[in-house]
């Protein structure tokens, strides 16, 4: 094909489109700067593309202006400008490909393969353009301002890239949420249509603009944040909005919550195969359902009832499909299913309700929300409010925190001369609340240390009073959570309370449970050593429940090892278990620890424990925990 004179073609260039395109880039840039966007890699790619397009626009406008002068003196600059312009656009294509790899979360080797393919294509096309320019093929800027062109190399490169992009999208389609994929396809398609149209109308002004459509798609994805392209989920904020909407429009819904505790941790990602399943489950079973990802391992599907009148049937379907999947993956799960309820919608508290239920149900179970759950939830919300208030007021005499106490029998002296302080809450609406209903909550919200200070204060106060009344009390132990040891001034807080009550540190013991973490162990060791210097004794609580690292226990200067009730029970079950418990107890005794058996309920328990190297006994046999004042009934009078 010989070169044809095509002045008309190039005359059809007007800079208006490029300028408008650049303006749009600036608008998007301004919007990104003034709104909240997570700084992911996709975001950085987007910014690079935006910058490149502005650069491309400027190059295009510049070289076309030189071209318009018709002055051959500018020929070199025109060639360079044109090649640069095309090279930038190829680069943008490369970035698009990289972006697709990024949003679909492909692994490193596959991302690298995509980058390599795109980069080679861009490199080859650019090299060809340079060669053509040097050898006088393709586009030419001839004397007297006559431009001519042969093969439209750029158009070939453009088409190749469009094909590559389409192939890539098809190959990753199983990794993308369908609606997101369709969006990408539409943007690539529209670009292609415009490119073809401008060829038909012998135009060249709209080339750069066609690159803007995928950019708009990227922009949308970034801002429909936290819309997750891989799972098609939206976050808890969006869920709250949906609940509000459904509530004000009196629309009822069903919710299905799936919790995968293994993926709960920050930064953990659901594996690809789970994401694929999630995508299928989100759309496959209900009409008009929306899936929310409220945390890493927690998904909630909201299903409008009106569009799914047969929802019960559909729930059965999704559950049996889930069970089939579970047979595959075997990740532990908790499923909670319920219907919209006026009082929960009003407070917009579905997520808290579900998480509250999680605490009470076992792993790998499906639970239907019952009125009882709601009652329990309201109760624990109320308790939490009160805890928050107690924490904020930080009044060491807060009457809502009650010190209960259980006497401990000392075998050596044959008397009850120590005791354990146990906390209760006494609240207006609920009456007495037991530790299992508020300690985990207090720990989770960081309130536990203030509670400890209160209980310690009340215990010290009572020790002082009883001593003044002539009762003989060696010490009372107080439970401390391992979490508290990390408080800024843990030791200072403890000694301050003791000192302010004018009692000796030896009157107080602290009960700690083992922790698995190495860091906790180091902190524990440090704090125990510091407080022992003040005479405070230390007990290892709950020995025998779950995990026990002997080596570490021996490294910590405990005074008393509290054998958990489970060991008392086990020792009563068969002779072999009794032997094991006895040997453990003897081993501790030989190493100068005292052994305390917890949960001694009857004479048989007591007899066994006495035979198994016991120094102290504690349990319902002697007394249930009672208000600390009642301790007087057990204590001997001095002298
Ligand atoms: P724990 O420290 O192991 O306390 C012993 C628990 O066993 C107490 O339950 C007590 O009432 C119960 N118990 C005592 N004798 C017997 C018995 O003969 N048989 C049976 N089956 N149980 C018996 P409680 O008071 O409900 O406390 C439960 C847990 O709550 C405590 O376990 C402790 O871990 C925690 N806790 C209680 N008070 C406090 C506190 O002030 N601070 C902290 N951090 N935790 C506390
Ligand atoms: Ca204890
Ligand atoms: Ca215990």
């Amino acid at each position: 094909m010989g070169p044809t004179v095509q002045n008309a073609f190039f005359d059809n260039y007007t800079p208006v489109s490029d300028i408008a395109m650049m303006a749009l880039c600036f608008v998007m840039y301004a919007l990104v700067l003034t709104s909240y966007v997570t700084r992911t890699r996709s975001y950085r790619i987007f910014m690079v593309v935006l910058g490149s397009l502005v650069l491309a626009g400027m190059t295009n406008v510049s070289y076309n202006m030189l071209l318009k002068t018709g002055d051959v003196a500018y020929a070199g600059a025109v060639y360079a400008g044109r090649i640069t312009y095309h090279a930038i656009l190829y680069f943008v294509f490369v970035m698009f490909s990289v972006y697709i790899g990024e949003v679909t979360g492909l692994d490193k080797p596959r991302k690298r393969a995509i980058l390599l393919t795109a980069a080679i294509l861009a490199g080859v096309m650019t090299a060809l353009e340079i060669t053509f320019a040097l050898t006088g093929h393709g586009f030419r800027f001839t004397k007297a301002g006559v431009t001519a062109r042969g093969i439209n190399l750029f158009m070939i490169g453009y088409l190749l890239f469009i094909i590559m992009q389409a192939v890539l999208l098809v190959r990753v389609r199983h990794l993308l949420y369908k609606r997101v994929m369709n969006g990408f396809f539409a943007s690539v398609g529209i670009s292609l249509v415009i490119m073809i149209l401008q060829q038909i109308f012998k135009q060249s002004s709209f080339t750069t603009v066609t690159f803007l459509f995928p950019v708009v798609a990227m922009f949308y994805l970034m801002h429909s944040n936290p819309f997750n392209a891989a799972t098609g989920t939206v976050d808890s904020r969006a869920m709250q909005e949906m609940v509000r909407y459904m509530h004000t429009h009196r629309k009822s819904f069903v919710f299905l919550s799936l919790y995968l505790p293994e993926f709960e941790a920050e930064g953990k990602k659901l594996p690809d195969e789970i994401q694929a399943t999630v995508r299928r489950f989100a759309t496959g079973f209900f009409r008009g359902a929306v899936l929310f990802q409220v945390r890493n391992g927690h998904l909630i599907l909201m299903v409008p009832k009106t569009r799914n009148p047969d929802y019960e049937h559909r729930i059965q379907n999704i559950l049996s499909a889930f069970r089939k999947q579970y047979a595959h993956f075997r990740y532990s799960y908790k499923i909670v299913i319920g219907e919209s309820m006026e009082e929960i919608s009003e407070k917009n508290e579905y997520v808290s309700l579900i998480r509250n239920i999680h605490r009470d149900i076992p792993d790998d179970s499906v639970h239907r929300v019952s009125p009882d759950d709601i009652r329990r939830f309201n109760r624990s919300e109320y308790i939490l409010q009160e805890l928050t208030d107690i924490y904020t007021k930080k009044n060491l005499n807060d009457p809502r925190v009650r010190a209960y106490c259980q006497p401990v029998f000392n075998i050596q002296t044959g008397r009850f001369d120590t005791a354990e302080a146990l906390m209760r809450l006494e609240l207006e609406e609920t009456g007495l609340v037991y530790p299992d209903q508020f300690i985990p909550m207090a720990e989770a919200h960081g309130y536990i240390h203030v509670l400890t200070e209160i209980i310690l204060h009340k215990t010290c106060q009572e020790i002082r009073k009883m001593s003044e009344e002539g009762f003989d009390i060696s010490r009372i132990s107080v439970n401390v959570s391992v979490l508290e040891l990390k408080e800024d001034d843990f030791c200072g807080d403890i000694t301050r309370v003791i000192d302010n009550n004018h009692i000796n540190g030896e009157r107080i013991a602290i009960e700690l449970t083992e922790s698995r973490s190495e860091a906790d162990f180091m902190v524990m060791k440090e704090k125990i050593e510091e407080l022992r210097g003040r005479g405070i004794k230390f007990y290892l609580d709950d020995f025998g429940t779950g995990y026990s690292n002997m080596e570490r226990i021996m490294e910590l200067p405990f005074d008393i090892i509290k054998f958990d009730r489970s060991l008392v029970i086990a020792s009563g079950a068969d002779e072999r278990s009794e032997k094991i418990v006895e040997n453990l107890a003897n081993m501790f005794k030989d190493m100068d620890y005292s052994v305390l058996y917890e949960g001694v309920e009857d004479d048989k328990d007591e007899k066994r424990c006495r035979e198994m190297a016991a120094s102290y006994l504690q349990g319902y046999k002697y007394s249930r925990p009672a208000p600390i004042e009642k301790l007087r009934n057990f204590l001997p009078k001095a002298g």
Side-chain angles (χ1 to χ4, degrees):
M1 186 167 59
T4 44
V5 178
Q6 283 196 333
N7 275 333
F9 178 87
F10 292 102
D11 286 341
N12 277 341
Y13 175 81
T14 92
V16 176
S17 155
D18 274 312
I19 290 167
M21 187 273 314
M22 287 188 272
L24 260 172
C25 286
F26 282 117
V27 169
M28 276 197 246
Y29 182 68
L31 288 178
V32 165
L33 286 190
T34 52
S35 59
Y36 174 76
V37 179
T38 28
R39 295 325 199 221
T40 55
R41 262 180 70 105
S42 315
Y43 162 81
R44 289 199 289 275
I45 297 172
F46 172 82
M47 292 306 261
V48 168
V49 167
L50 222 50
S52 308
L53 284 185
V54 172
L55 207 61
M58 291 196 296
T59 320
N60 199 22
V61 172
S62 318
Y63 98 77
N64 271 292
M65 274 165 57
L66 293 181
L67 188 61
K68 272 233 163 81
T69 62
D71 189 342
V72 207
Y74 296 129
V78 166
Y79 278 114
R82 186 178 151 88
I83 291 169
T84 309
Y85 171 59
H86 288 166
I88 297 172
L89 293 183
Y90 289 138
F91 172 73
V92 171
F93 266 130
V94 174
M95 286 293 114
F96 283 159
S97 313
V98 172
Y99 180 81
I100 293 172
E102 197 56 44
V103 284
T104 47
L106 290 182
D107 54 21
K108 266 219 177 99
R110 272 188 285 183
K111 275 197 224 166
R112 207 172 300 141
I114 293 175
L115 174 64
L116 206 66
T117 316
I120 288 174
L121 183 53
V124 169
M125 289 315 299
T126 311
L128 276 177
E129 294 220 9
I130 295 171
T131 321
F132 269 45
L134 293 177
T135 56
H137 287 80
F139 166 85
R140 261 153 300 146
F141 187 30
T142 52
K143 62 176 180 317
V146 178
T147 48
R149 64 171 212 171
I151 303 165
N152 188 345
L153 248 188
F154 179 70
M155 201 54 207
I156 294 171
Y158 190 95
L159 285 174
L160 286 177
F161 262 114
I162 291 276
I163 291 167
M164 176 192 165
Q165 230 98 91
V167 170
L168 186 57
L169 279 175
V170 169
R171 304 239 334 231
V172 299
R173 73 185 178 286
H174 62 286
L175 293 172
L176 271 182
Y177 186 51
K178 216 161 79 203
R179 289 175 211 167
V180 173
M181 244 256 310
N182 293 344
F184 276 135
F185 267 129
S187 70
V188 174
I190 287 172
S191 305
L192 189 61
V193 167
I194 290 191
M195 205 57 182
I196 292 169
L197 283 178
Q198 82 163 355
Q199 291 296 310
I200 293 173
F201 291 105
K202 301 227 176 299
Q203 255 291 346
S204 65
S205 314
F206 296 102
T207 308
T208 342
V209 152
T210 63
F211 284 79
L212 208 57
F213 294 100
V215 174
V216 171
M218 290 160 82
F219 186 73
Y220 169 75
L221 254 191
M222 219 156 50
H223 275 86
S224 62
N225 182 32
F227 189 88
N228 181 328
T231 45
T233 54
V234 255
D235 78 344
S236 54
R237 197 188 58 206
M239 173 160 163
Q240 294 208 330
E241 270 153 30
M242 176 143 173
V243 169
R244 203 169 302 133
Y245 173 84
M246 302 287 268
H247 183 60
T248 48
H249 290 80
R250 307 249 147 246
K251 289 182 201 270
S252 47
F253 57 87
V254 179
F255 60 87
L256 293 91
S257 151
L258 171 65
Y259 174 57
L260 303 168
E262 274 147 89
F263 305 102
E264 162 91 350
E266 192 68 36
K268 269 210 172 162
K269 200 175 134 241
L270 292 177
D272 287 350
E273 69 269 21
I274 300 267
Q275 295 200 350
T277 314
V278 166
R279 276 196 301 280
R280 229 160 21 78
F281 274 56
T283 49
F285 293 85
F286 299 94
R287 276 189 288 267
V290 184
L291 185 66
F292 299 93
Q293 182 161 25
V294 293
R295 293 212 195 175
N296 268 340
H298 192 184
L299 302 162
I300 300 177
L301 189 62
M302 277 179 61
V303 179
K305 273 191 193 170
T306 41
R307 296 194 57 194
N308 301 272
D310 53 344
Y311 62 87
E312 278 302 339
H313 174 68
R314 289 166 186 268
I315 288 174
Q316 292 319 314
N317 285 346
I318 199 171
L319 282 179
S320 71
F322 176 83
R323 289 205 177 91
K324 280 200 199 97
Q325 284 296 323
Y326 174 71
H328 250 56
F329 298 141
R330 301 211 153 272
Y331 294 114
S332 53
Y333 66 87
K334 289 180 181 181
I335 291 179
V336 175
I337 301 172
E339 298 175 26
S340 50
M341 284 155 283
E342 179 68 24
E343 60 168 315
I344 305 295
S345 288
E346 205 176 311
K347 290 187 278 180
N348 216 326
E349 283 183 332
Y350 288 97
V351 176
S352 326
L353 168 69
I354 293 167
R355 295 192 75 84
N356 198 63
I357 293 173
H358 285 167
R359 282 212 296 268
D360 299 329
I361 61 172
D363 272 355
D364 306 337
S365 62
V366 178
H367 181 89
R368 293 294 285 243
V369 178
S370 70
D372 230 33
D373 294 325
I374 308 296
R375 261 194 300 279
R376 263 205 298 275
F377 172 63
N378 286 332
R379 184 183 150 95
S380 77
E381 287 289 281
Y382 167 70
I383 294 170
L384 181 58
Q385 265 172 32
E386 293 286 302
L387 280 175
T388 308
D389 190 59
I390 291 168
Y391 171 77
T392 325
K393 297 216 166 95
K394 210 183 171 193
N395 168 16
L396 292 185
N397 291 304
D398 199 315
R400 289 170 291 186
V401 181
R402 301 271 278 125
Y404 270 53
C405 217
Q406 193 177 29
V408 173
F409 185 74
N410 182 340
I411 291 181
Q412 206 187 350
T413 60
R415 291 146 121 192
F416 293 95
D417 47 21
T418 61
E420 173 178 12
L422 293 159
M423 198 182 326
R424 308 284 182 261
L425 292 183
E426 195 168 343
L427 305 178
E428 213 172 290
E429 287 178 23
T430 55
L432 216 55
V433 185
Y434 288 86
D436 59 317
Q437 290 164 29
F438 70 87
I439 298 275
M441 204 152 41
E443 288 179 339
H445 287 84
Y447 301 156
I448 189 71
H449 185 53
V450 168
L451 293 180
T452 298
E453 288 179 276
I454 297 175
I455 212 80
L456 178 63
H457 170 70
K458 294 193 169 190
T459 303
C460 292
Q461 220 172 24
E462 204 59 31
I463 290 175
R464 185 176 159 81
K465 267 198 229 163
M466 289 189 294
S467 302
E468 282 168 3
E469 291 166 27
F471 288 101
D472 197 1
I473 174 95
S474 298
R475 64 180 169 274
I476 297 181
S477 57
V478 172
N479 291 282
V480 167
S481 297
V482 177
L483 293 171
E484 292 178 53
L485 301 180
K486 295 191 195 109
E487 292 281 332
D488 284 342
D489 192 16
F490 174 76
C491 296
D493 292 342
I494 298 291
T495 49
R496 239 186 318 279
V497 175
I498 296 174
D499 293 347
N500 288 344
N501 280 289
H502 309 291
I503 63 164
N504 197 315
E506 283 164 18
R507 293 300 189 81
I508 291 297
I510 288 177
E511 299 195 6
L512 290 170
T513 52
E514 269 181 279
S515 161
R516 266 169 189 277
S517 121
E518 179 71 29
D520 284 354
F521 171 78
M522 297 310 292
V523 179
M524 206 187 262
K525 191 167 165 162
E526 204 177 287
K527 304 283 147 126
I528 294 180
E529 271 157 13
E530 183 173 345
L531 288 176
R532 269 175 74 96
R534 297 290 316 266
I536 297 171
K537 291 209 158 28
F538 279 86
Y539 299 1
L540 176 69
D541 203 357
D542 297 341
F543 176 77
T545 56
Y547 151 97
S548 286
N549 186 332
M550 284 303 199
E551 200 181 333
R552 279 191 181 171
I553 293 175
M554 303 293 180
E555 255 187 77
L556 297 172
F558 285 114
D559 300 279
I560 293 180
I561 309 293
K562 296 188 77 170
F563 276 40
D564 187 72
R565 166 150 175 83
S566 57
L567 293 183
V568 177
I569 296 174
S571 68
D574 58 80
E575 227 161 90
R576 194 170 153 269
S577 307
E578 186 177 348
K579 202 87 223 138
I580 294 174
V581 177
E582 187 183 346
N583 284 335
L584 275 172
N586 274 316
M587 182 195 71
F588 279 117
K589 201 173 177 178
D590 290 344
M591 301 194 64
D592 284 337
Y593 294 98
S594 297
V595 172
L596 183 156
Y597 284 98
E598 283 191 287
V600 178
E601 292 191 351
D602 52 31
D603 293 344
K604 274 205 251 158
D605 283 349
E606 183 187 295
K607 181 163 175 292
R608 242 186 4 266
C609 293
R610 278 177 181 274
E611 286 164 3
M612 297 190 298
S615 296
Y616 297 94
L617 301 170
Q618 179 185 352
Y620 291 168
K621 177 180 188 307
Y622 313 103
S623 169
R624 298 219 164 215
I628 194 163
E629 311 81 55
K630 296 269 162 59
L631 203 56
R632 288 175 175 77
N633 299 337
F634 294 89
L635 298 177
K637 279 256 180 179

